[in-house]
Amino acid sequence: MREDVESLDIRDVTANWVNSLVLQAQIDDRIKALADLAHTPLFFGRLDYLHAPGADRAEGAEGEQFYIGRRHVHDAQGDPMVIDWRAPVSQPFYRASKKDPQDIGLRRRFGYTGGDLTAYEDEHLSDPAESAAVSKLLQQEIERPRVGPMRDIVATIQPEQDEIVRSGLSGSVCVQGGPGTGKTAVGLHRVAYLLYAHRERLARTGTLVIGPNRSFLQYIEQVLPALGELEVKQATVDDLVARPGAEVRGTDAAATAVVKGDARMAEVLRRAVRSHVSLPDEPLMVVRGSRRWRIPAYELAEIVTELQARDMRYGAALAALPQRIAHAVLVRMEQGGEAPDDRVQDAVARNPAVKAAVKAIWPVVDPAKLVLRLLSDAEFLAAHADGVLTADEQKLLLWEKPFRSVKSAKWSAADLVLIDESADLVERTHSLGHVVVDEAQDLSPMQYRAVGRRCTTGSVTVLGDLAQGTTPWATRSWAEALGHLGKPEAVLEELTAGFRVPREVIAYASRLLPAIAPGLAAVSSVRETPGSLVVSSVASSEDLTPAVVAACRDALRHEGSIGLIAADARIPGLAEALSAAGLPHLSPGSETTADSRLTLVPASLAKGLEYDYVVLDEPCAIVDGEPDERTGLRRLYVALTRAVSGLTVLHHAALPPALP
């Protein structure tokens, strides 16, 4: 298929050089999408229908057989050999069961080792004599060692996951899923499905995946290309709100960040933007040729008041004001016997007197300068935060030493979100067709608003786990979060079946749930792995680091990836100890290889990542590294649930009381 595209000759089919460039770019993209992937089979399953799909199921009607794979594959004559997993005819591969066979006589799963077909497994779904059984190939695929970035799960999608993946583009979905339930994979595969089902629409409007940090995005970046989808952009919230000239060079104390991230800041900013408008107290005189036209102050005020009442974007109203004034002049010109047209109105709108009046009445607002003033000028802040923020909250917002300019200011990440909100009050933010936001529980209300602005005319997939909220402003409920996002009607789905974390490990970590997320159901893992959890104490603090290094060396005897997770403050010392022991290690997000499988992970970056074996260093240090105990325990919960095959916990200090 790739060679067919490469052999296309477009010299005689394009009308001009522009069309030729566009067509060649499309061909190049198609060639990239058809690239071979090492160790990736073209198909992973087969469906034998009892009757041809869509045909009359009369007795004696012949069935049909389909191979199911990651991509559609056709032969030289264009006949399909492999059906895309997203096609409607492929759906029973994921949803059919003994109770509901969906006209499937046989479902076959294929097993691979290094790209070679090594096994297959059959289920005769319509045969009452055959009892339902757990698929061993499915279990092996889930447990397959993880080396390299995150991979697709098209061969292992479960029925409850498939329902979310195939939900429509018009509706927004929020997925609450504990560790190992596959919520990230579900979100990415939903994007792939939507691009398949609504390709033309999303090609026009765009698709975006938002992750918590760069390490996470590097980890997931190969999933969609492996499914042939190359056009999806990926970003963090910080990337979304980045603004030229306003660089993040500062940090906020937790209490300050909480106030800056509070949804009430939107009202403060709205008031501050609107405060720049002033009602005129003098008439306007417009000179054209030998005639003068006078617009009284009260009429100008009526025009301004009417624009304010419409609650338009500040910039849109600013653009409309000179035209409204010009129209008032044209009315007088018509009353004077003239017959002006649209060109005359445009000329009047550009008249120096009109431009001067507009500048005085409705001046241009620079969003960054506005936020700079709010954070620097106590009187300006108090005037617009009155009745919204308390006096103490206002004090938290003000810089101790004001900065002179936007470029010199030491902006924090939260400040740029405020600037983004202000920019949207001035000019509408461009909206995309679909946005996926992962680890959403860590977003502040103002960050939710920033994401929501990117999908006001589209839909969103929200992925997260309330128990893994590790910021002081973490989401308290999905209903509240969806309200800030502007999608209160989104459907809430919950994934409770765990496929990644062994039952022993998730049960141990779930001891923390009463303290960090009361009322949240614990994940029920489908995998029982005896010996997957080891918790050991060492006699002294001096013995801890050598014991951790030894545990890493033991873990490397297993196949797959190894993650050493520790409190951020412990990372430099552990890095030095690993190097001294001759154990090379990677940073989070770096791709593991057969020769380099150990990653040293600060606890603050562990979210969303997974490793076959995890060595966890000093749980108490992870808890103490956060501003409060609940956040620290949530950070520990995240760290405890990164393992796919085994977890070793080493500590000298006493374990947190919530983790007996």
Side-chain angles (χ1 to χ4, degrees):
M1 290 170 64
R2 188 178 64 256
E3 289 170 355
D4 287 345
V5 179
E6 290 173 337
S7 65
L8 291 175
D9 187 348
I10 63 172
R11 287 176 295 182
D12 297 327
V13 298
T14 54
N16 52 54
W17 67 271
V18 176
N19 289 346
S20 178
L21 287 176
V22 172
L23 184 56
Q24 187 59 55
Q26 293 174 342
I27 289 174
D28 291 343
D29 287 344
R30 177 65 173 161
I31 292 171
K32 290 178 184 177
L34 290 171
D36 284 327
L37 298 175
H39 309 311
T40 301
L42 288 175
F43 61 91
F44 51 81
R46 194 183 96 187
L47 288 177
D48 290 4
Y49 276 81
L50 296 176
H51 308 87
D56 184 7
R57 297 187 181 183
E59 186 176 348
E62 292 186 7
E64 202 164 349
Q65 183 182 99
F66 300 96
Y67 284 87
I68 312 300
R70 288 167 176 76
R71 305 290 307 280
H72 169 83
V73 181
H74 61 249
D75 61 17
Q77 287 71 44
D79 294 326
M81 299 177 67
V82 178
I83 305 299
D84 194 300
W85 66 276
R86 298 168 285 189
V89 75
S90 302
Q91 183 171 308
F93 184 80
Y94 302 107
R95 298 201 193 176
S97 65
K98 294 293 291 185
K99 291 183 178 179
D100 180 21
Q102 300 186 18
D103 199 43
I104 301 299
L106 179 143
R107 172 168 57 199
R108 174 169 290 177
R109 301 182 191 274
F110 295 96
Y112 292 86
T113 301
D116 295 328
L117 178 62
T118 55
Y120 68 89
E121 184 180 75
D122 289 346
E123 297 172 87
H124 299 87
L125 299 178
S126 299
D127 184 356
E130 183 178 291
S131 59
V134 177
S135 169
K136 293 182 179 179
L137 285 182
L138 190 64
Q139 191 85 357
Q140 290 171 3
E141 175 63 21
I142 291 173
E143 296 176 0
R144 181 156 57 93
R146 285 149 170 75
V147 176
M150 183 179 179
R151 58 178 185 257
D152 65 75
I153 62 164
V154 290
T156 62
I157 294 174
Q158 299 299 295
E160 63 271 23
Q161 296 174 328
D162 190 64
E163 289 183 14
I164 299 171
V165 167
R166 295 178 192 267
S167 54
L169 176 61
S170 59
S172 294
V173 178
C174 176
V175 182
Q176 158 65 38
T181 55
K183 57 184 178 295
T184 296
V186 166
L188 294 175
H189 287 69
R190 185 175 185 227
V191 170
Y193 173 78
L194 293 176
L195 287 168
Y196 174 88
H198 308 277
R199 190 167 301 282
E200 290 187 6
R201 179 176 170 183
L202 289 178
R204 294 192 307 269
T205 56
T207 310
L208 174 68
V209 174
I210 301 173
N213 52 58
R214 278 279 140 209
S215 297
F216 178 83
L217 292 178
Q218 289 172 355
Y219 178 60
I220 68 169
E221 65 183 356
Q222 296 302 319
V223 174
L224 290 170
L227 301 174
E229 304 299 346
L230 305 174
E231 301 301 319
V232 179
K233 292 181 170 53
Q234 297 182 351
T236 64
V237 173
D238 290 347
D239 295 332
L240 291 186
V241 301
R243 193 174 185 86
E247 297 181 4
V248 175
R249 296 188 295 140
T251 56
D252 290 317
T256 299
V258 168
V259 177
K260 288 182 178 180
D262 195 296
R264 292 174 297 163
M265 287 300 300
E267 174 61 18
V268 176
L269 292 168
R270 191 191 71 81
R271 292 181 182 182
V273 169
R274 294 290 173 176
S275 71
H276 290 75
V277 179
S278 58
L279 294 178
D281 53 12
E282 294 183 358
L284 170 65
M285 190 68 69
V286 178
V287 179
R288 278 188 57 81
S290 60
R291 304 196 66 175
R292 297 186 177 189
W293 308 98
R294 181 178 181 275
I295 307 297
Y298 77 86
E299 188 170 343
L300 290 174
E302 288 176 353
I303 293 172
V304 173
T305 302
E306 190 270 336
L307 285 174
Q308 288 178 312
R310 292 186 62 185
D311 200 26
M312 302 167 63
R313 290 293 196 283
Y314 186 90
L318 173 59
L321 181 57
Q323 290 291 335
R324 298 293 178 89
I325 294 174
H327 177 73
V329 173
L330 259 65
V331 169
R332 283 162 173 74
M333 293 173 71
E334 290 171 347
Q335 292 171 345
E338 296 188 23
D341 56 18
D342 290 345
R343 290 174 296 177
V344 175
Q345 179 168 326
D346 289 339
V348 172
R350 296 192 299 270
N351 182 279
V354 173
K355 292 170 71 173
V358 169
K359 184 177 181 180
I361 296 169
W362 208 293
V364 172
V365 170
D366 181 290
K369 290 182 179 178
L370 175 77
V371 176
L372 180 76
R373 186 179 177 189
L374 273 174
L375 301 180
S376 305
D377 187 335
E379 291 185 4
F380 185 69
L381 175 61
H384 304 300
D386 182 42
V388 180
L389 301 177
T390 66
D392 289 339
E393 289 173 327
Q394 293 176 38
K395 289 179 181 178
L396 288 172
L397 292 178
L398 291 168
W399 284 321
E400 292 183 6
K401 182 181 179 182
F403 299 98
R404 293 185 177 181
S405 67
V406 171
K407 287 188 176 181
S408 66
K410 290 186 177 179
W411 299 105
S412 68
D415 294 335
L416 264 60
V417 177
L418 299 180
I419 295 175
D420 189 72
E421 178 85 24
S422 303
D424 185 70
L425 290 167
V426 176
E427 299 289 347
R428 185 182 298 276
T429 303
H430 174 67
S431 178
L432 300 168
H434 191 75
V435 173
V436 175
V437 53
D438 203 354
E439 302 296 349
Q441 73 280 345
D442 277 338
L443 299 186
S444 70
M446 291 299 287
Q447 287 176 317
Y448 272 114
R449 291 176 62 88
V451 173
R453 287 192 283 277
R454 271 74 184 178
C455 56
T456 52
T457 58
S459 55
V460 63
T461 301
V462 179
L463 310 167
D465 179 12
L466 296 178
Q468 296 186 58
T470 51
T471 56
W473 50 84
T475 301
R476 289 175 292 188
S477 75
W478 289 122
E480 180 181 316
L482 293 169
H484 295 313
L485 195 63
K487 304 291 182 182
E489 76 290 349
V491 176
L492 178 61
E493 302 281 0
E494 187 169 5
L495 297 175
T496 57
F499 304 98
R500 174 173 56 79
V501 185
R503 187 176 303 171
E504 296 79 5
V505 174
I506 195 64
Y508 182 69
S510 295
R511 297 179 184 180
L512 296 173
L513 287 179
I516 62 176
L520 197 65
V523 171
S524 177
S525 178
V526 301
R527 297 175 51 218
E528 187 170 355
T529 312
S532 57
L533 175 66
V534 176
V535 181
S536 298
S537 62
V538 296
S540 67
S541 57
E542 292 78 11
D543 295 333
L544 180 59
T545 297
V548 168
V549 172
C552 290
R553 196 182 299 279
D554 289 341
L556 286 166
R557 295 192 177 98
H558 297 286
E559 186 180 0
S561 59
I562 314 299
L564 168 55
I565 304 178
D568 292 32
R570 291 266 299 160
I571 293 298
L574 289 171
E576 185 178 336
L578 290 173
S579 298
L583 295 180
H585 56 277
L586 305 169
S587 299
S590 301
E591 186 171 338
T592 56
T593 65
D595 298 324
S596 187
R597 298 183 290 120
L598 174 61
T599 303
L600 179 57
V601 187
S604 61
L605 296 181
K607 192 170 296 179
L609 305 179
E610 59 182 24
Y611 302 93
D612 287 291
Y613 292 87
V614 167
V615 177
L616 183 63
D617 170 85
E618 197 61 280
C620 196
I622 293 176
V623 176
D624 293 343
E626 299 298 328
D628 61 83
E629 185 183 29
R630 192 186 75 158
T631 303
L633 290 174
R634 286 182 168 186
R635 184 76 72 189
L636 178 58
Y637 180 75
V638 171
L640 288 168
T641 54
R642 300 304 94 199
V644 176
S645 297
L647 170 67
T648 299
V649 179
L650 292 168
H651 67 98
H652 165 64
L655 292 172
L659 192 69

